[in-house]
Amino acid sequence: MGDRIQRFKPRNGHFFLFTFLVGLITAAALFIPFIVYQGGVFYYYGDFNVQEIPFYQMLHSSVKSGELGWNHLTDLGSDTISSYSFYLLGSPFFWLTIPFDNDFVPNLIGPLLILKFACASGAAYLFLQRYVKYKPFAVLGGLLYAFSGFSIYNVFFFHFHEPMIMFPLLLAALDCFLYDKRRGLFAVAVFAACVVNYYFFVGQVLFVVMYYLMVTLTKTYKFKITEFLLLALEVAIGFAATAFILLPSVLGLMGNPRLDTFPKDWNALVHDKPQRYWLSVLAFFFPADMPAMPTFTPESNCKWASVAGWLPLFGMTGVIAYLQLKKRDWIKKLICLLILFAMVPVLNSMFQMLNTSIYYARWYYMLVLLFVLATIRAVENRRTNWKRALIWSSCITLGATLLIGLMPKTVESETGGEDSYTIGVQADNVRFWAYALAAMICLLGFALIIKKFGKNRFELVTASTIAVLVAALLTSYFIIGTGVLSSSTTSTIRKDIINSRSDIEIDDLETERSDFYKCVDNTAMYWKVQSINCFQSSVSPSIMQFYEKIGIKRDVASRPDFSAYGLRPFLSTKYYFDYSLDNGDYTIDKSFVDNKGVTKMPGWKFIKSNNNFDIYLDENYIPMGYCFDSYITEEEFERIREKDRPQALVNAMVLSHEQMKKYSSITGYTDEKYAALYSQNPGRFKSVVDNYSFGTPQLEQACNKLKADCCSSFEYTKEGFTAKYENKGGEKLMFFTVPYSEGFTAEVNGEAVEVEKADYGFMAVKVPAKSSCDIVFKYRTPGLDLGIKITLCAAAAFALYMLVVLITAVVKRVLRKRKNNIRENWRDIK
């Protein structure tokens, strides 16, 4: 029989404010020195510099200009909602930037990060306060959660802290429903958690289900079918209310290859990298490692996986102490269950909808919160055996340190001689021993605190809180400082990129596409100009499908290399930017010209230099919107060798069999002509692609032909884009290298025309013969209208639900009062 949790009336609200303010001051002490050091903007390294900052600034500009439909600055073009709802569209912190000037947005990143840490500490306090009798222990827990290893590790991913804030609030709202009988709050929490980040919400749903079942099965909460139905109703209403952002996001990402890899074979049961088991344990005993720079387990293939969870000062000591208490409760059982999920790949993947395209542990903040709860309960419990817990924690920490740090490692000879040996299997000696020393010092510090202040709870919680903050600051200075100092992009961004578009003296840069290959990722996004390069994983699925078909890898970024030289004119790429400095040193491998001064792609000429960028013009540039005089089927195109496919794109438009048939008057398709291709012996079919030859003269000839039959103007609008074309010949298919989406509709000279998907991922429309054509494409985010309607219906249902709840409460109060009056009158009569 579990201990029932009674109704909870929050008192001493100043403790929440105190937790928030201490978190705010501590985060300010952590980040302000780096902000000052870097001239007013908090730069970190990797994704933080090239995704989080430009995403914020670019989308800030789009929102203020009212462009929330098609975003032509994201890769070749993508839907705004589906591309950025994961990153920042649902974040209240992003919307705080809207009143500010766009150039000032990068300066807000640091203050927002400070605010997020404060909110995380306050949110955790609201959940934890129910489970301790002495509220300062919940203050300690809130700070442990906010400055945990998971939180510090994921500074790298600026948008991960919003789910960290929402998760404790979601659990606190559920507790209010279960134990305090407060209605409506959980529906609001479900809505907010899903809107903030739908990806993390999937894991939160799984946790909430496990949490609910655990407190019910342990009889901590007395199950009632009526309450369960009300809870289900609140979940349904809260979830349905998110349709305005969730439905477009889901529809916009369907077809993304990163979402369709499911667990299978033995890899679903055991990790293919044994070091992951070590990492999953060590992540809670040592300060956070760094994304992209794994120290403890360099061959675990866990870069950016968010495997971190160390609690400053305590590590796992508090958790071990709590687990060693004789009393069995839902906290212990849920911790054990979550540890099992962490160790089994298929169970781990359940927190991200069974997607196993890459190993992630981005749900560990949930485990961290549970570890924090166990820790503060152990600190508050006077029966806790800290000596035994410290021995266990110290032995594990010291044992892992010695095993990894002193294990002989084979170093293969580069000259073919005998192998040599070194001591230690860690990736970096300095960081490894710094982490190990920090962990051991914290254990020693906590042992001293327990010995001196263990008998006085006020002194114990005060000393522990101060020590936690000191430990968090010192370890975080080291971790974040390492990232700041190791960044290869900060200097370039600060000096030549951020807010520097006006320094680039090209008048039509905004209206043309450019290539920034080998430059800092998302340079174009900083300048708000179009580019074929983009480091963003939630782009239009059509882009993914196109690159897959032409044999170019496109997972998290579009970075077609120099071998795909035919791709640039095909995509109407006019300029190439070559950053001529690499930390002050010229490097030939990153340069656009070889050691003889010849460009690494044919047809490009140097025009000028700005901001340390050498700028080149594509002499084969084809303006956006052009017509082919040759059409081939997808089956024909796939006969071309992969390495030649980017160059083959400018020779003919690629259509499906059905499209070739549909537009036979244009394509020249006949069943007789293509009979062999669709027979049992397609190899007997003679295709024009068999005669293709590839080289600089052939590319130039094909591009000149397309230039001669292209649009006279092309312009993006808030609704889509427009183009003008003078057709001097027969009916044609006008081709645009704008990614295909069902959200587009098109008109030619005021008449609606069907939008066709061509070349695996782009759009084409039929234009009439011998006429001046005004072409208008309009975009409406798929699912947005329906999503808004569902959201409005959910809002109405919520209002009705709350009205019923209010009326029911009033009626119960009246009946209760009347009943009490009757009892009093009966006593008087007697």
Side-chain angles (χ1 to χ4, degrees):
M1 183 91 175
D3 290 341
R4 290 274 167 76
I5 295 179
Q6 304 300 322
R7 287 178 181 266
F8 174 76
K9 293 182 179 180
R11 295 171 181 168
N12 304 83
H14 61 277
F15 279 116
F16 164 76
L17 181 60
F18 179 75
T19 309
F20 177 86
L21 290 177
V22 172
L24 187 72
I25 294 169
T26 306
L30 174 58
F31 291 107
I32 287 178
F34 293 108
I35 296 173
V36 173
Y37 171 73
Q38 298 180 105
V41 176
F42 177 72
Y43 299 100
Y44 197 24
Y45 75 106
D47 293 16
F48 189 96
N49 287 359
V50 301
Q51 281 197 325
E52 310 298 350
I53 299 176
F55 286 0
Y56 254 70
Q57 195 170 23
M58 184 274 295
L59 201 62
H60 176 275
S61 176
S62 296
V63 169
K64 294 193 77 168
S65 63
E67 298 177 7
L68 283 173
W70 188 255
N71 190 305
H72 61 277
L73 301 179
T74 300
D75 209 301
L76 302 174
S78 291
D79 174 73
T80 299
I81 294 178
S82 63
S83 294
Y84 292 99
S85 55
F86 167 70
Y87 291 99
L88 48 83
L89 263 183
S91 169
F93 298 95
F94 166 72
W95 294 97
L96 290 176
T97 68
I98 298 302
F100 294 89
D101 183 75
N102 187 256
D103 285 352
F104 190 69
V105 169
N107 298 83
L108 298 173
I109 297 297
L112 288 178
L113 194 55
I114 293 170
L115 182 59
K116 287 184 184 185
F117 272 75
C119 290
S121 60
Y125 171 84
L126 291 177
F127 167 67
L128 297 169
Q129 62 174 333
R130 181 184 299 273
Y131 298 97
V132 291
K133 295 178 181 178
Y134 188 51
K135 294 299 177 281
F137 287 120
V139 175
L140 172 64
L143 297 171
L144 277 171
Y145 178 73
F147 294 93
S148 65
F150 186 91
S151 186
I152 299 301
Y153 180 107
N154 288 296
V155 167
F156 188 81
F157 300 108
F158 187 70
H159 55 291
F160 281 20
H161 288 84
E162 283 88 335
M164 280 193 70
I165 296 168
M166 284 310 309
F167 177 62
L169 297 179
L170 186 66
L171 293 185
L174 178 59
D175 284 350
C176 285
F177 181 95
L178 298 179
Y179 307 122
D180 305 336
K181 313 306 176 186
R182 294 180 62 183
R183 307 305 181 213
L185 194 59
F186 189 60
V188 174
V190 168
F191 168 79
C194 187
V195 167
V196 160
N197 194 298
Y198 61 84
Y199 169 84
F200 284 91
F201 180 70
V202 171
Q204 291 169 0
V205 169
L206 176 60
F207 185 96
V208 165
V209 170
M210 295 165 65
Y211 179 86
Y212 179 81
L213 290 175
M214 195 61 69
V215 297
T216 302
L217 293 175
T218 58
K219 298 184 179 180
T220 306
Y221 159 72
K222 185 178 180 181
F223 177 81
K224 295 180 180 178
I225 187 64
T226 53
E227 286 192 351
F228 174 77
L229 294 176
L230 283 177
L231 182 64
L233 179 60
E234 290 204 17
V235 170
I237 291 174
F239 183 69
T242 68
F244 75 99
I245 191 170
L246 183 63
L247 186 58
S249 298
V250 172
L251 292 177
L253 292 176
M254 289 178 65
N256 190 314
R258 299 190 76 206
L259 305 178
D260 59 2
T261 307
F262 295 98
K264 58 182 178 296
D265 305 325
W266 269 101
N267 285 341
L269 303 177
V270 292
H271 288 300
D272 58 346
K273 302 290 184 181
Q275 290 186 21
R276 285 180 188 167
Y277 293 106
W278 276 79
L279 182 58
S280 296
V281 175
L282 299 178
F284 297 96
F285 283 88
F286 294 90
D289 209 343
M290 297 180 61
M293 302 180 191
T295 302
F296 292 88
T297 56
E299 296 175 8
S300 60
N301 194 22
C302 286
K303 292 181 179 180
W304 311 290
S306 299
V307 188
W310 183 71
L311 302 184
L313 183 68
F314 288 90
M316 286 292 287
T317 308
V319 180
I320 292 172
Y322 190 78
L323 293 176
Q324 289 175 338
L325 291 171
K326 292 182 179 179
K327 179 181 174 183
R328 295 183 179 180
D329 61 6
W330 67 270
I331 301 175
K332 289 184 180 180
K333 293 177 180 178
L334 188 52
I335 285 176
C336 293
L337 182 61
L338 289 175
I339 291 174
L340 175 64
F341 270 67
M343 294 299 174
V344 180
V346 66
L347 299 180
N348 180 80
S349 69
M350 289 178 67
F351 285 96
Q352 50 185 17
M353 295 183 67
L354 294 175
N355 179 30
T356 57
S357 61
I358 190 169
Y359 171 74
Y360 284 139
R362 292 177 172 174
W363 61 275
Y364 273 18
Y365 65 97
M366 306 179 194
L367 194 52
V368 168
L369 184 62
L370 214 55
F371 283 176
V372 168
L373 176 57
T375 297
I376 63 173
R377 295 263 291 194
V379 174
E380 188 180 43
N381 195 324
R382 295 188 179 276
R383 292 177 296 173
T384 300
N385 188 336
W386 287 112
K387 181 178 179 181
R388 182 171 60 176
L390 279 164
I391 290 174
W392 272 95
S393 185
S394 299
C395 287
I396 294 173
T397 304
L398 181 60
T401 299
L402 296 178
L403 284 172
I404 296 173
L406 301 180
M407 183 66 63
K409 178 182 178 181
T410 304
V411 179
E412 295 183 1
S413 174
E414 297 180 359
T415 61
E418 291 187 5
D419 295 341
S420 60
Y421 296 90
T422 60
I423 298 299
V425 292
Q426 64 273 14
D428 183 277
N429 283 325
V430 173
R431 284 191 288 124
F432 172 77
W433 289 108
Y435 294 150
L437 184 62
M440 295 304 296
I441 290 175
C442 283
L443 290 175
L444 177 61
F446 181 64
L448 295 175
I449 290 172
I450 286 293
K451 184 176 181 179
K452 185 169 181 62
F453 305 111
K455 295 181 180 180
N456 184 304
R457 68 178 186 179
F458 173 77
E459 292 179 349
L460 175 60
V461 73
T462 302
S464 297
T465 301
I466 294 172
V468 162
L469 297 179
V470 171
L473 282 174
L474 293 179
T475 54
S476 299
Y477 281 138
F478 178 78
I479 295 165
I480 295 175
T482 303
V484 168
L485 295 176
S486 65
S487 174
S488 61
T489 59
T490 298
S491 176
T492 302
I493 293 171
R494 186 172 57 212
K495 180 181 178 183
D496 295 318
I497 297 176
I498 196 166
N499 296 332
S500 297
R501 163 62 189 97
S502 59
D503 297 334
I504 307 300
E505 300 168 354
I506 298 178
D507 294 336
D508 62 347
L509 189 58
E510 277 78 15
T511 60
E512 304 293 348
R513 279 181 181 155
S514 298
D515 186 357
F516 290 83
Y517 181 58
K518 298 281 188 181
C519 294
V520 170
D521 280 322
N522 291 331
T523 296
M525 199 173 289
Y526 268 108
W527 292 345
K528 303 176 195 66
V529 300
Q530 301 173 62
S531 175
I532 67 171
N533 314 106
C534 182
F535 179 25
Q536 216 270 37
S537 55
S538 302
V539 298
S540 170
S542 293
I543 297 173
M544 304 284 197
Q545 294 159 13
F546 165 71
Y547 278 118
E548 180 184 7
K549 290 298 183 180
I550 65 171
I552 294 178
K553 182 180 179 181
R554 206 300 178 191
D555 44 18
V556 299
S558 296
R559 302 185 185 107
D561 60 28
F562 294 138
S563 64
Y565 59 86
L567 186 64
R568 273 69 177 185
F570 171 78
L571 295 176
S572 300
T573 309
K574 189 172 184 179
Y575 299 107
Y576 181 87
F577 285 78
D578 180 27
Y579 194 65
S580 55
L581 293 178
D582 181 50
N583 291 329
D585 297 321
Y586 179 83
T587 52
I588 197 68
D589 63 315
K590 291 188 176 182
S591 175
F592 187 48
V593 294
D594 60 21
N595 52 13
K596 296 181 181 179
V598 178
T599 59
K600 294 181 179 178
M601 290 190 293
W604 293 82
K605 71 174 183 178
F606 174 80
I607 55 173
K608 64 170 62 179
S609 292
N610 282 132
N611 284 38
N612 291 311
F613 286 91
D614 290 336
I615 307 172
Y616 296 81
L617 175 70
D618 186 4
E619 295 181 301
N620 291 320
Y621 159 74
I622 309 167
M624 182 74 81
Y626 48 87
C627 295
F628 290 90
D629 62 2
S630 178
Y631 301 85
I632 58 174
T633 65
E634 292 173 348
E635 293 82 359
E636 289 178 272
F637 184 80
E638 289 164 13
R639 292 166 69 158
I640 303 171
R641 292 182 304 176
E642 271 195 359
K643 73 182 188 69
D644 292 327
R645 288 180 185 177
Q647 284 61 256
L649 290 168
V650 293
N651 288 282
M653 184 184 295
V654 184
L655 299 171
S656 68
H657 181 201
E658 293 75 18
Q659 289 172 321
M660 291 287 284
K661 220 176 202 183
K662 180 178 179 181
Y663 296 100
S664 58
S665 62
I666 298 174
T667 64
Y669 174 91
T670 63
D671 288 333
E672 295 77 14
K673 181 179 177 181
Y674 281 84
L677 181 61
Y678 296 103
S679 67
Q680 293 183 348
N681 299 300
R684 297 171 57 188
F685 177 74
K686 301 299 181 183
S687 171
V688 293
V689 303
D690 300 330
N691 300 320
Y692 285 171
S693 57
F694 305 101
T696 302
Q698 290 85 353
L699 177 68
E700 184 177 345
Q701 182 180 359
C703 291
N704 285 337
K705 188 185 296 184
L706 295 175
K707 289 181 195 179
D709 200 10
C710 66
C711 290
S712 58
S713 69
F714 177 90
E715 182 182 359
Y716 279 105
T717 65
K718 289 184 178 181
E719 296 179 316
F721 61 89
T722 63
K724 293 184 181 296
Y725 172 64
E726 192 69 31
N727 189 3
K728 298 177 181 179
E731 291 183 333
K732 298 176 183 177
L733 288 177
M734 174 60 67
F735 178 72
F736 297 95
T737 51
V738 176
Y740 175 86
S741 170
E742 293 183 356
F744 275 108
T745 58
E747 294 180 353
V748 177
N749 294 334
E751 294 186 10
V753 293
E754 191 171 353
V755 179
E756 299 290 346
K757 186 176 184 179
D759 280 59
Y760 300 103
F762 300 108
M763 295 190 292
V765 292
K766 182 180 177 181
V767 293
K770 298 186 182 300
S771 62
S772 298
C773 303
D774 287 324
I775 305 169
V776 178
F777 276 73
K778 293 184 179 180
Y779 182 79
R780 181 66 176 173
T781 300
L784 180 60
D785 292 337
L786 178 59
I788 291 174
K789 292 176 183 177
I790 295 174
T791 295
L792 292 175
C793 290
F798 179 73
L800 179 62
Y801 170 70
M802 292 307 298
L803 180 62
V804 172
V805 168
L806 179 62
I807 293 174
T808 302
V810 171
V811 169
K812 284 184 177 181
R813 192 181 304 116
V814 170
L815 292 176
R816 193 182 303 115
K817 186 175 182 179
R818 182 174 296 178
K819 187 176 181 180
N820 291 336
N821 289 337
I822 292 174
R823 285 179 179 175
E824 291 177 3
N825 292 336
W826 179 250
R827 289 196 191 101
D828 293 340
I829 293 173
K830 292 179 68 175

